[in-house]
Amino acid sequence: MKFETEAIHAGEEPKLEGAGTGDVVVPIHLSSTFARREVTKPTCGYEYSRQGNPTREALETRLAALEGARWGLAFSSGMAAETTIGLSVLEPGDHVVAGDDLYGGTWRLFERVLAPHLGVSVSYVDATDPERVADALTERTKLVWLETPTNPLMRLCDIEAISSIARERGVLTAVDNTFVTPYFQRPLALGADVVVHSTSKYLNGHSDSIGGAVMLSDEELHKKLKFNQNAVGAILSPFDSYMVLRGTKTLAVRMREHEKNAMRVAEHLEGHPGVTRMYYPGLPSHPQHELATRQMFGFGGMLSFEIAGGLTEACAFLENLTLFALAESLGGVESLTELPALMTHASIPKEEREKVGVTDSLVRISVGIENGDDLIEDLDRAFASLS
Ligand code: P1T
């Protein structure tokens, strides 16, 4: 089946046999526990909702289908998904190679939690160059962690090249596919071992649920993740599972509209006197535009730019927008904008983030699916108010 069809049907086929009720939409199974006839085995396959829940399982089937994975697991947040991967793959003394442009919360998890409490070390490298990843691998490296496109600088990592380097050395590659979703990029088909998502973003798509997901095809690793997810309790609730199931049904149409508007906004901003640098992989001027056309089926709805001036101009611009909400997060139908340096990436020390290019004048936009004319008008008005 094609993507649009899987997005609507996978995991949600009506059950007309046996005790099935023919629901076209999977019900929200709120029961926290499940009765059984015999002490030694669960009669209907479920024991307790932390361990397994029918609504969550429907979502997990859907998510696996969309990423071309054998298994999906739905977590209480993107960070819960990342934490569970860390706990399942890493042991004290292990080493991680991570891209140097990452969501601030991921950096915080590595530096403030996994490094001090699990005793692992993390090297951050410019993963736009696969050779730098190769050079950073050591005998103790267990995991390569990539975001592509990166948050917030929209840089790309060559998933195929990096996964193949890592695999040769017996190292797992995990790709955070939150920014473009499986509609535009399928990391597992390019050789990655694990895909991670914040479903709080495009997969749910309506800025009204926090969740995370992991998709993978390795049986051993799936077992470990499932065990650890249950052990630490990092599960998505039945209600949120339903929300993400509902959201994924329109993922394809939403992503097409996000991209159409993002391209329009990117082209408009690229020539704007108030903008000194644009970051959108769909623009031919993006240094990795060729990789973008090869690795992705589209360019997504996220973009960043450097505003002329500095922090003062950036803050004034953001505060003068009326249609774009000034808010963290991304991937909802409504346009959002933010200042990574002081918002989503504030947990990274200033010197670290500036080394990578996350400056005080970097503005990030999650382009929504409103009418493009209205978006351009709002941006132009906010620029005009600066002069
Ligand atoms: O917020 P949560 O669902 O826990 O997901 C964390 C996360 C993981 N990976 C990426 C690439 C992300 O962007 C995020 C969350 N990011 C934001 C809230 C943000 O505004 O960038």
Side-chain angles (χ1 to χ4, degrees), residues 247-299:
T248 49
K249 289 175 201 183
T250 54
L251 181 63
V253 273
R254 282 187 287 108
M255 291 313 288
R256 289 196 284 265
E257 290 299 304
H258 279 295
E259 183 186 46
K260 194 175 81 189
N261 274 352
M263 185 63 95
R264 193 162 161 211
V265 168
E267 283 171 348
H268 182 73
L269 291 180
E270 189 168 40
H272 199 285
V275 172
T276 58
R277 199 157 166 198
M278 264 318 293
Y279 301 99
Y280 183 63
L283 292 174
S285 59
H286 188 283
Q288 295 165 294
H289 182 63
E290 184 278 322
L291 174 60
T293 54
R294 188 153 47 84
Q295 173 163 281
M296 305 196 285
F297 316 118
F299 309 111

Side-chain angles (χ1 to χ4, degrees), residues 126-384:
D126 175 2
T128 61
D129 179 359
E131 284 308 312
R132 300 220 184 174
V133 176
D135 291 345
L137 297 174
T138 72
E139 289 298 302
R140 295 307 307 253
T141 310
K142 287 280 162 55
L143 180 65
V144 171
W145 188 276
L146 303 174
E147 274 181 18
T148 180
T150 61
N151 180 1
L153 289 163
M154 303 303 297
R155 292 175 181 159
L156 305 188
C157 310
D158 187 329
I159 299 171
E160 195 166 16
I162 294 172
S163 305
S164 139
I165 291 167
R167 187 163 300 232
E168 260 173 42
R169 303 277 296 266
V171 175
L172 291 176
T173 302
V175 176
D176 187 329
N177 203 22
T178 298
F179 261 39
V180 285
T181 83
Y183 184 67
F184 284 136
Q185 174 171 274
R186 291 291 143 84
L188 298 178
L190 295 168
D193 300 286
V194 177
V195 171
V196 60
H197 277 274
S198 166
T199 63
S200 324
K201 314 298 187 301
Y202 290 106
L203 294 182
N204 179 60
H206 296 76
S207 306
D208 51 9
S209 163
I210 295 287
V214 175
M215 294 79 140
L216 76 172
S217 293
D218 182 276
E219 189 166 6
E220 278 307 301
L221 188 54
H222 169 251
K223 270 196 199 144
K224 239 190 227 177
L225 279 162
K226 175 106 184 124
F227 177 88
N228 286 339
Q229 179 189 36
N230 180 48
V232 302
I235 48 143
L236 192 64
S237 75
F239 180 74
D240 287 286
S241 299
Y242 157 79
M243 294 290 273
V244 183
L245 268 168
R246 183 178 158 110
T248 49
K249 289 175 201 183
T250 54
L251 181 63
V253 273
R254 282 187 287 108
M255 291 313 288
R256 289 196 284 265
E257 290 299 304
H258 279 295
E259 183 186 46
K260 194 175 81 189
N261 274 352
M263 185 63 95
R264 193 162 161 211
V265 168
E267 283 171 348
H268 182 73
L269 291 180
E270 189 168 40
H272 199 285
V275 172
T276 58
R277 199 157 166 198
M278 264 318 293
Y279 301 99
Y280 183 63
L283 292 174
S285 59
H286 188 283
Q288 295 165 294
H289 182 63
E290 184 278 322
L291 174 60
T293 54
R294 188 153 47 84
Q295 173 163 281
M296 305 196 285
F297 316 118
F299 309 111
M302 293 299 297
L303 55 86
S304 302
F305 66 92
E306 286 281 345
I307 198 163
L311 185 61
T312 312
E313 287 74 11
C315 290
F317 172 77
L318 289 168
E319 290 164 10
N320 280 324
L321 288 162
T322 54
L323 191 52
F324 290 77
L326 174 53
E328 301 199 8
S329 201
L330 58 114
V333 290
E334 56 289 291
S335 293
L336 300 179
T337 189
E338 62 117 7
L339 193 83
L342 300 191
M343 295 172 67
T344 52
H345 292 66
S347 53
I348 306 177
K350 191 171 161 72
E351 324 77 70
E352 295 292 324
R353 63 173 165 76
E354 286 193 338
K355 244 193 273 166
V356 176
V358 181
T359 63
D360 288 350
S361 46
L362 183 78
V363 171
R364 191 187 77 180
I365 298 183
S366 172
V367 184
I369 62 170
E370 301 93 338
N371 186 288
D373 292 343
D374 292 332
L375 297 179
I376 301 281
E377 200 182 300
D378 196 29
L379 291 166
D380 282 350
R381 207 165 15 76
F383 273 119

